[in-house]
Amino acid sequence: MEGIRGRSAIVTGAGSGIGREIALLFASEGAKVVVAELNEAAGRETERMIRDSGGEAIFLRTDVSLDGDCASAVRLARESFGSVDVLINNAGIDGRPAPVADIDPADLDRIMRVNFTGAFLMCRHALREMAGQRRGSIVNIASLGGLIPVHNGMPYSASKAALIMLTRSIAAEYGRYGVRANAIAPGWAETDMVRRYAEQSSIDPQEFRRAVSRRAPLGRLATTRDVADLALFLCSDRASYITGQTYVIDGGLSVT
Ligand SMILES: NC(=O)c1ccc[n+]([C@@H]2O[C@H](COP(=O)([O-])OP(=O)(O)OC[C@H]3O[C@@H](n4cnc5c(N)ncnc54)[C@H](O)[C@@H]3O)[C@@H](O)[C@H]2O)c1
């Protein structure tokens, strides 16, 4: 696909689930990937998987909630790969399910710090490079939960709603520099996050999957590849006139 081969791409949270899938897919399409991940073993594993299949990747232990770590990830992409072409803000966490009045303020701060502020910090550094190059594409992995409240999940939903507005602000302010920003809003995707959500809500994960599959018109959860394919399209030149948008990918869940 046009637009990814030879480009550098930073993928946060690339040690697992959707982030790992995006890193592997982008590398297989010829991108040079910075695996920016908090969990060192998981990040190194993604780096190894890419290198073993002939791709280019560098792991950097990165906590996106720390400005210095975000600056280092962007610097690494520029110094190792020559430019900062693609940023995928994928790192994200969820919290303990609770109705609004019972939410621990510390939990709200923690979730906002990673899901929203973390993406902002990465963008802050990447945008300076991208604007200078007059080229760049940012994809923020938001959530259907940023458009429709997750029951007992206000901090997560609020963080993803904020991420969608960050996306729109960047699109409005940086289009003139050739920088595009879009968001992806998955419904439920087959990752550890789904298992954790089900367990924390005292639901059997298999039963939860079956319930989601029954409700979704397409009859299943998203695969991580479904989400990665959309991210690839949005970063490719085929999407060169698309910016500021949020793409729901939920098997039709939100229209039922
Ligand atoms: N799985 C779903 O159903 C679903 C639905 C909608 C949106 N999403 C979003 O997709 C993204 C990926 O989720 P996933 O399901 O693959 O989850 P996951 O838990 O499998 O992966 C998240 C990764 O982010 C990393 N991470 C966590 N905090 C970090 C930090 N501070 N700095 C850097 N890395 C950090 C984790 O170590 C992990 O490798 C998240 O933003 C999530 O909110 C997931």
Side-chain angles (χ1 to χ4, degrees):
M1 191 179 280
E2 305 94 325
I4 287 293
R5 186 156 299 282
R7 297 268 164 100
S8 77
I10 304 169
V11 185
T12 71
S16 163
I18 292 168
R20 172 174 284 171
E21 190 77 40
I22 291 174
L24 294 176
L25 179 63
F26 278 41
S28 76
E29 292 284 327
K32 299 172 275 190
V33 178
V34 173
V35 175
E37 164 64 53
L38 180 62
N39 178 328
E40 174 144 11
R44 288 212 180 280
E45 176 64 9
T46 301
E47 177 193 57
R48 187 194 61 72
M49 289 165 83
I50 291 174
R51 289 183 178 171
D52 282 357
S53 51
E56 264 190 83
I58 308 177
F59 163 73
L60 181 70
R61 186 181 181 282
T62 309
D63 181 345
V64 296
S65 67
L66 302 177
D67 188 57
D69 281 16
C70 295
S72 299
V74 170
R75 196 178 322 113
L76 181 66
R78 178 172 34 77
E79 289 176 357
S80 304
F81 300 144
S83 58
V84 182
D85 302 315
V86 168
L87 168 62
I88 310 287
N89 283 310
N90 163 81
I93 56 172
D94 48 5
R96 201 176 50 79
V100 171
D102 296 342
I103 287 167
D104 179 348
D107 215 26
L108 175 65
D109 286 349
R110 190 175 60 84
I111 292 169
M112 288 298 288
R113 184 78 201 169
V114 175
N115 295 5
F116 171 62
T117 309
F120 158 69
L121 295 174
M122 287 299 305
C123 288
R124 189 169 111 74
H125 296 286
L127 280 169
R128 293 175 185 161
E129 299 290 335
M130 290 176 171
Q133 297 164 184
R134 294 288 193 273
R135 183 182 75 215
S137 176
I138 295 173
V139 169
N140 292 323
I141 308 299
S143 171
L144 186 58
L147 299 166
I148 300 169
V150 174
H151 188 70
N152 286 344
M154 182 280 283
Y156 182 80
S157 282
S159 71
K160 295 298 189 176
L163 185 57
I164 288 169
M165 193 49 75
L166 171 67
T167 308
R168 300 179 71 183
S169 298
I170 292 169
E173 294 170 13
Y174 288 84
R176 77 191 63 176
Y177 302 109
V179 178
R180 298 185 297 107
N182 291 289
I184 295 179
W188 291 105
E190 283 288 3
T191 71
D192 267 5
M193 189 173 270
V194 171
R195 185 188 47 73
R196 282 196 307 269
Y197 177 80
E199 284 172 359
Q200 285 174 340
S201 308
S202 305
I203 309 168
D204 172 55
Q206 282 308 334
E207 183 42 47
F208 180 72
R209 282 189 184 85
R210 278 194 290 275
V212 172
S213 303
R214 274 195 301 274
R215 256 195 62 205
L218 293 182
R220 61 174 177 84
L221 281 72
T223 63
T224 52
R225 181 61 190 253
D226 291 325
V227 181
D229 278 335
L230 178 54
L232 178 63
F233 168 70
L234 288 172
C235 293
S236 78
D237 291 347
R238 292 188 190 202
S240 61
Y241 198 55
I242 299 177
T243 196
Q245 304 307 305
T246 298
Y247 288 87
V248 172
I249 176 163
D250 68 347
L253 206 57
S254 53
V255 298
T256 59

